[in-house]
């Protein structure tokens, strides 16, 4: 298990000292893996992601139990910029780009930030050219103010800018949110390329299980603040519950139900059916 | 904010009641008795101090409505006080008007000023509003100075004591009761306002104006009404102040006065009328307390020339300390103490994971 | 012509003061109400360099400027840093309290009477004839020159330096900046530092001409209209604001009444707020944030 990059062990996050958002979450990611975290709204995916990237501290929340071990160090409750410098880059759901800065300046911000993960570990530093290789669109737009970019371009810029901090772990919250399917496919392909070329570990939080599982190696499913299912992406994709709930195939098609409800229904069917 | 939950309420009527329990009635009765009895024992100095506090309470409650409840910063408080005092002074001097004309006139002048300076600020939020009220301050003070120089009242405009049926309000003890009555009316007015639709609209605008608008609160009307009501009350306070002092001088309404009032609402605790009263008491007594402290420690002689500066510096320090370490102010401390006794012998502890 | 010279001097002074407000606002979204007092600190430091260390003008200025920078950093580190995560409203109130504290402390240390740093550092302030009957003081020329230098420097700094881009990034979106590994404290402290430096410089140069006492803080307040007229988040706006407000003030002094001078900036402000509440150069959505 020497290539274990991130391991979240029995983590519990409490907001305002009162509300428990996630409890006993266990999650691991190995170097060079694409891991996805699935779940419906309010399942605790984003909280988990924010706990890893240190952002819960800004939202009056704390990790009150368990450990978050990244590259051998416990980073639970560290400040966001400390996590970023340790080599964790986050592409958040909302704050994606600096709208008043140009595309180029946005990218350079990542490099400005200096001494981070893979560089500290002696790896090659990525430069603007490297980013343009993955996203040629950005090269055309280099002088454009980022506030004027389209949703897809923003997402590319956000990923590019995050990559320039030379992370070892890239966290992406809702890659597909509000984007056209064709753009999402393009981005998903780019993520695979990035992983293959740079050896970066990617943790993807998604509602769109199909896209996520198609590029991921391993997947976790969250429900009500707990991990309820995990396994290789291929096996998850074939799993009956996933198909019923997330992919809308089978019995529950057309009606969204929680994972737990689906399980209960399945159990009942076994007992009484 | 965490606090003891109080009493189970079983109807909207109970929600609206001002005094909830028999204990509170008893405490209020005790307080009223003490306040009413005070002039029988107090020295002239104490009565004057009480008068100053009562005056400050009117202004502080007005500012609390605007800043603490409706969430609008104002730096024009001294200007509004000055406006009320000036209207009184000018009307007495030029037309010999009695108090039952000048007081309403000052109130209306305050409301109009609030309307005038509130209007451009409506499209603005917090800070811009504050700065445009700063403009109000400078403009009122400028106009007052102009009037004083042109009419030759460079030392101040004298105001005759108010007359009711041939009886002059002059005696300090009489003033004490008049001002006390004023305060009771103002505080009840403010408390009632907060229970009303207007007060709830203000709180909603303070919390998040976009959401308030979506819930059907007219942000425009809420902000403007907060501004107008607060300005009118403040100008009224200024008018009463001019009668109390017997003369009006713009010099008395410097920016420091504004800051004192802002300090009252901060130190008292934003968002609570009780806080406004506590803050007014604290800030008014502060310089006297410092003086007394210097006297007793025997440092007064050595630091004679510096008393004002010491006052200033300590005042800033206290404000800073409250903002940084006790944002709920004196009212917050009071609530915590009350909860402590209320819950004793049990103690409130945060849920698992808390400090 | 004399009018023009006075006008430029006043505009430069306003611009020099205003950039402190803009800097702090742009990076931390806090409108500081203690800037007038920070100017006074600068002037008093200059005075002390003369009375205590008997420094000649140039070293005295440099030493006082460096100390102003330190004062700004200290204000951030000791006070404003604790306001992270609090509302902007509370942070503004903190700056009011800070202003009072500074003013009291300064009166304690330096006494409230009018003093002249020019004498203390043995700096002459001759009238410089500019041809014809036009003459301005040397300090006025210095004010104009430093305003040009400061603004030129700041523009280059924000465009082309790492720290400049970082400050813009933190100002726009501190969360995203943290995601990219920028600790928020550095840029914020630097903004306060530079604001204290430029404000202190304005205070020092002004005190060469007029001496120093409590009245200087009022000039800090009178600069508010300049910043708001230009737009709180725009440096170029601050220049335009300074030109507009100084123009109105000079015209009022010459053609109406010198007493109006104190009110003129605020009248301009009210007029502008009626038409363009976000200022001449400010961004419109900026209003939603304050």
């Amino acid at each position: 298990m020497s290539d274990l990059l991130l391991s979240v062990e029995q983590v519990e996050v409490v907001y305002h000292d009162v509300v428990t958002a996630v409890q006993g979450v266990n999650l691991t990611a190995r170097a060079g893996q694409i891991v996805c975290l699935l779940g419906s709204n309010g399942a605790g995916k984003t909280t988990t992601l924010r706990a890893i990237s240190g952002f819960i501290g800004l939202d009056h929340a704390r990790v009150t139990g368990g450990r978050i071990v990244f590259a051998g160090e416990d980073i639970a409750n560290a400040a966001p910029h400390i996590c970023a410098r340790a080599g964790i880059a986050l592409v958040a759901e909302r704050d994606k780009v600096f709208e008043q800065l140009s595309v180029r300046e946005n990218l350079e911000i990542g490099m400005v930030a200096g001494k981070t993960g893979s560089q500290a570990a002696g790896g090659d530093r990525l430069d603007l050219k490297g980013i343009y290789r993955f996203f040629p669109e950005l090269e055309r737009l280099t002088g454009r103010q980022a506030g004027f970019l389209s949703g897809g371009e923003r997402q590319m810029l956000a990923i590019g800018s995050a990559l320039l901090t030379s992370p070892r772990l890239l966290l992406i919250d809702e890659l597909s949110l509000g984007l056209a399917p064709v753009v999402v496919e393009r981005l998903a392909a780019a993520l695979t390329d990035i992983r293959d070329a740079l050896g970066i570990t990617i943790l993807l939080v998604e509602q769109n299980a199909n896209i996520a599982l198609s590029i991921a190696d391993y997947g976790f499913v969250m429900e009500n603040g707990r991990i309820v299912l995990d396994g290789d992406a291929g096996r998850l994709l074939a799993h009956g519950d996933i198909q019923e709930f997330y992919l809308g195939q089978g019995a529950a098609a057309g009606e969204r139900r929680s994972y737990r409800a689906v399980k209960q229904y399945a159990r009942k069917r076994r007992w009484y059916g | 904010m965490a606090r003891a939950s109080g009493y189970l309420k079983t109807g909207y009527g109970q929600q609206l009641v001002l005094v909830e329990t028999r204990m509170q009635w008893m405490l209020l009765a005790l307080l009223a008795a003490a306040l009413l009895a005070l002039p029988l024992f107090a020295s002239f100095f104490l009565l004057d101090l009480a008068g100053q506090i009562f005056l400050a309470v009117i202004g502080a409650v007005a500012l609390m409505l605007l800043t603490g409840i409706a969430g609008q910063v104002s730096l024009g408080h001294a200007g509004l006080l000055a406006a009320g005092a000036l209207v009184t002074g000018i009307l007495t001097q030029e037309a010999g008007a009695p108090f039952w004309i000048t007081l309403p006139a000052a109130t209306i002048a305050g409301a109009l000023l609030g309307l005038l300076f509130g209007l451009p600020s409506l499209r603005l939020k917090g800070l811009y509003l504050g700065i445009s009220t700063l403009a109000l301050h400078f403009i009122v003070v400028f106009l007052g100075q102009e009037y004083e120089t042109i009419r030759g009242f460079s030392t101040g405009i004298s105001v005759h004591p108010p007359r009711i049926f041939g009886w002059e309000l002059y005696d300090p003890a009489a003033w004490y009761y008049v001002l006390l009555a004023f305060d009771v009316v103002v505080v009840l007015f403010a408390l009632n306002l907060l229970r009303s639709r207007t007060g709830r609209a203000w709180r909603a605008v303070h919390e998040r104006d976009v959401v308030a608008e979506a819930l059907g609160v007219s942000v425009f009307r809420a902000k403007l009404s907060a501004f107008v009501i607060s300005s009118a009350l403040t100008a009224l306070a200024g008018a009463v102040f001019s009668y109390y002092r017997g003369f009006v001088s713009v010099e008395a309404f410097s920016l420091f006065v504004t800051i004192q009032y802002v300090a009252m609402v901060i130190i008292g605790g934003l968002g609570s009328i009780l806080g406004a009263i506590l803050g007014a008491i604290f800030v008014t007594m502060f310089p006297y307390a410092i003086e007394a402290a210097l006297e007793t420690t025997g440092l007064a002689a050595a630091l004679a020339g510096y008393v004002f500066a010491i006052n200033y510096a300590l005042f800033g320090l206290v404000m800073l300390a409250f903002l940084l370490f006790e944002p709920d102010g004196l009212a917050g401390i009071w609530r915590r103490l009350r909860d402590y006794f209320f819950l004793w012998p049990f103690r409130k502890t945060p849920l698992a994971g808390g400090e | 012509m004399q009018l023009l010279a006075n006008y430029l001097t006043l505009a430069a002074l306003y611009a020099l003061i205003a950039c402190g407000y803009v800097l702090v606002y742009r990076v931390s979204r806090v409108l500081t109400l203690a800037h007038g007092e920070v100017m006074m600190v600068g002037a008093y430091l200059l005075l002390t360099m003369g009375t205590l260390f008997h420094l000649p003008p140039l070293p005295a200025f440099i030493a006082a400027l460096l100390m102003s920078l330190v004062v700004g950093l200290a204000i951030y580190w000791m006070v404003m840093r604790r306001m992270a995560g609090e509302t902007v409203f509370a942070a503004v109130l903190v700056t009011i309290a800070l202003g009072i504290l500074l003013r009291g402390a300064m009166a304690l240390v330096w006494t409230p009477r009018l003093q002249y740093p020019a004498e203390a550092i043995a700096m002459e302030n001759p009238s410089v004839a500019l041809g014809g009957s036009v003459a301005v003081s040397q300090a006025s020329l210095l004010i104009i020159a430093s305003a040009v230098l400061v603004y030129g420097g700041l523009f280059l700094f924000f465009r082309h330096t790492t720290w400049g881009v970082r400050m813009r990034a933190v100002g726009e979106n501190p969360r995203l900046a943290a995601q990219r590994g920028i600790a928020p404290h550095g840029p914020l402290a630097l903004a306060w530092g530079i604001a204290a430096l430029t404000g202190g410089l304005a205070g020092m140069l002004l005190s060469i001409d007029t001496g120093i006492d409590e009245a200087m803080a009022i000039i800090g307040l009178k600069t508010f209209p300049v910043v708001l007229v230009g737009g709180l988040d725009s440096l170029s706006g601050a220049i335009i604001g300074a030109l507009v407000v100084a123009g109105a003030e000079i015209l009022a002094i010459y053609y109406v009444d010198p007493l109006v001078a104190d009110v003129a900036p605020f009248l301009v402000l009210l007029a502008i707020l009626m038409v363009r509440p976000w200022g001449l150069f400010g961004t419109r959505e900026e209003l939603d944030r304050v």
Side-chain angles (χ1 to χ4, degrees), chain A residues 208-231:
Chain A
N208 184 338
N210 226 346
I211 280 288
L213 289 174
S214 69
I215 60 168
D217 303 308
Y218 201 86
F220 295 87
V221 180
M222 281 192 93
E223 191 71 55
N224 284 331
R226 289 165 206 274
I227 301 274
V228 287
L229 191 67
D230 68 293

Side-chain angles (χ1 to χ4, degrees), chain B residues 88-248:
Chain B
T88 311
I90 292 173
L91 280 179
T92 346
Q93 277 296 335
E94 305 295 332
F99 76 95
W100 46 267
I101 291 189
T102 55
L103 288 190
T107 313
I108 291 169
L112 285 178
L113 274 176
L115 199 64
L116 188 68
F117 283 83
L119 268 180
S121 333
L122 281 174
R123 291 195 278 161
L124 315 173
K125 293 189 183 174
L127 303 177
Y128 280 78
L129 181 81
I131 306 306
S132 79
T133 54
L134 191 64
L136 178 147
H137 172 89
F138 279 100
I139 290 169
V140 168
V141 167
F142 167 74
L143 291 176
Q145 271 168 349
E146 285 288 283
Y147 174 79
E148 285 181 7
T149 20
I150 290 169
R151 296 279 286 132
F153 301 124
S154 49
T155 52
I157 314 161
S158 59
V159 179
H160 310 299
R163 249 169 208 289
I164 308 168
F165 304 123
W167 173 73
E168 271 198 354
L169 181 55
Y170 192 74
D171 179 43
W175 261 114
Y176 175 91
Y177 287 117
V178 168
L179 290 176
L180 179 60
F182 243 108
D183 274 15
V184 170
V185 171
V186 166
V187 167
L188 280 179
F189 170 74
L191 285 176
N192 271 322
L193 205 61
L194 293 188
R195 297 187 297 163
S196 73
R197 195 185 170 84
T198 321
R200 289 200 301 272
W202 288 353
R203 286 189 198 274
V205 168
H206 185 181
E207 213 55 51
R208 194 140 185 88
D209 51 1
V210 181
V211 179
E213 185 99 58
L215 289 175
V217 174
S218 164
V219 171
F220 177 85
R221 199 186 301 163
K223 278 190 185 174
L224 200 59
S225 63
F227 219 66
V228 167
I229 290 176
S230 163
S231 307
L233 259 182
T234 312
L236 179 65
V240 179
F241 177 79
S242 71
Y243 276 117
Y244 184 70
R245 276 276 167 266
F247 78 102
V248 181

